[in-house]
Amino acid sequence: MTAAIRPPEAAARGTEGTGRAACHHGEILQGVFLDERRRAVHALVTLPMNGPGSTARFVHRPGSPPDEVTVAPAGRTKAQAAAVLAVRECAARRDTEPCGGELTLTGDLPVGLGMGSSTSDVIATVRAVADSWGVLLPAGTIARIAVRAEGASDPLMHGARPLLFAQREGRVLEVLGSALPPAVVVGCALAGGAPIDTLSLPALHHDDDLAAYGHLRRMLRRAVADVDTALLGRVGTASARLRQRVLRHQEFPALTGIADSTGAVGVQIAHSGNVAGVLYDPRTPGLHHRLRRCTRALDREGITPTRTFTTFASHTSEELPWTNTSRKPSAART
């Protein structure tokens, strides 16, 4: 698939471009699944969240080598690598000589919590480079660049639809539907919001994993089709329990206990980080009271509540008016 080229007047505006990418709130499901060729593939379904994210600005440096990209803040090596790859991709599509440039990143995402901070940086970068070249890159191309730059990527370039996404291959295994069932999520940070080196986590793969995750995939497919929030919660909780073999969160029993005692449908976690959420059906009687009880219980257990948001459009990832849980975890900021 070739990229669309912007009109000449847009492409001629100069050699500067901007890009933006949202984050997510960890995963609803992550594990190993069979693809269309019956191969075992690691894949995930994220819990999308608008609002926080990364913004990138890229300015050409004419005449410089294409791999000569400077980045601020320093140390954003994945975004820098993505910029070089995107420059070559866009120049080839423009049939012109590539050049380096200056990349500037801004954002408000915690690093290492499992909210897709590095992927958000990378996608924003690729979009900024493409914008500077007057090229509209398709999501599949952005995914390919992101995987090459990061080694693995979240599906943020595809928007908020629930997708089973092979994060190490950058491809969609299944489109589960147009939207997740409606849920209200009380977000929190486990382990004091300490960052996790996601690349250091082992990728467990037991003989019974394919069957277990295949079952959860079917459950999630049905939850989306039937708009079944309770079933969504069961999938999130089951996937989180399986991931405990790797993450071993000490607060996990307390988290699930709070969910049970306050009438939540389940929990979800970042399978490669410390962000977590307690899921509620928005139609539950006494919801506002349950949300307040949840945040108080989290505080008592030493688990930091961070924000309350929804999976549906009316308040997506914005703090809801009946809560006061918007707190910043102690992780480093992007």
Side-chain angles (χ1 to χ4, degrees):
M1 180 177 179
T2 58
I5 303 298
R6 291 191 300 172
E9 64 270 20
R13 277 203 289 263
T15 56
E16 178 178 327
T18 58
R20 165 79 182 170
C23 69
H24 62 81
H25 199 265
E27 283 72 41
I28 286 292
L29 175 61
Q30 180 171 343
V32 60
F33 306 87
L34 292 178
D35 69 2
E36 70 281 358
R37 290 183 286 173
R38 308 294 295 174
R39 295 185 307 129
V41 177
H42 289 273
L44 51 80
V45 180
T46 59
L47 180 62
M49 187 175 71
N50 293 322
S54 298
T55 300
R57 176 175 174 265
F58 184 79
V59 181
H60 290 202
R61 192 184 296 122
S64 63
D67 58 350
E68 193 174 278
V69 173
T70 59
V71 60
R76 303 291 181 86
T77 55
K78 294 176 181 179
Q80 185 178 37
V84 172
L85 292 168
V87 161
R88 294 186 180 278
E89 180 75 29
C90 294
R93 291 171 184 262
R94 275 291 187 187
D95 193 24
T96 188
E97 288 296 317
C99 67
E102 299 173 4
L103 172 67
T104 305
L105 291 164
T106 56
D108 50 4
L109 281 175
V111 174
L113 275 185
M115 296 177 69
S117 59
S118 61
T119 296
S120 184
D121 277 355
V122 164
I123 295 172
T125 294
V126 175
R127 287 173 172 165
V129 172
D131 185 49
S132 74
W133 285 89
V135 174
L136 297 175
L137 293 177
T141 301
I142 298 175
R144 173 172 54 80
I145 292 173
V147 169
R148 288 185 62 188
E150 292 192 79
S153 172
D154 298 304
L156 302 175
M157 69 291 295
H158 288 283
R161 289 182 304 166
L163 307 173
L164 184 63
F165 185 77
Q167 70 269 26
R168 300 178 184 180
E169 300 179 10
R171 64 189 181 96
V172 176
L173 299 186
E174 182 180 352
V175 178
L176 296 165
S178 59
L180 289 173
V184 177
V185 184
V186 177
C188 59
L190 306 178
I196 287 180
D197 180 4
T198 59
L199 295 180
S200 69
L201 293 174
L204 296 179
H205 183 178
H206 295 280
D207 291 340
D208 58 350
D209 280 355
L210 280 171
Y213 285 115
H215 179 62
L216 291 179
R217 177 182 186 176
R218 291 187 295 273
M219 287 175 63
L220 184 54
R221 187 187 296 139
R222 190 168 75 250
V224 171
D226 296 345
V227 197
D228 189 334
T229 305
L231 189 55
L232 175 74
R234 287 171 54 195
V235 172
T237 303
S239 183
R241 287 190 190 282
L242 287 170
R243 194 60 175 170
Q244 274 293 96
R245 295 177 300 178
V246 173
L247 296 176
R248 303 184 188 281
H249 288 304
Q250 293 183 359
E251 306 100 325
F252 189 72
L255 187 70
T256 55
I258 291 169
D260 290 341
S261 67
T262 58
V265 296
V267 302
Q268 60 86 212
I269 63 170
H271 288 54
S272 57
N274 279 323
V275 72
V278 184
L279 308 176
Y280 293 85
D281 189 323
R283 298 155 293 196
T284 301
L287 176 65
H288 301 181
H289 178 61
R290 294 175 191 275
L291 296 177
R292 293 191 187 97
R293 284 177 55 204
C294 176
T295 56
R296 289 196 296 265
L298 290 170
D299 267 329
R300 286 196 300 271
E301 293 290 345
I303 302 171
T304 304
T306 52
R307 67 171 61 228
T308 299
F309 65 99
T310 75
T311 63
F312 48 93
S314 60
H315 289 289
T316 302
S317 78
E318 299 175 1
E319 187 180 353
L320 296 176
W322 55 77
T323 62
N324 184 22
T325 62
S326 185
R327 307 181 192 174
K328 294 181 180 179
S330 58
R333 290 280 167 186
T334 56

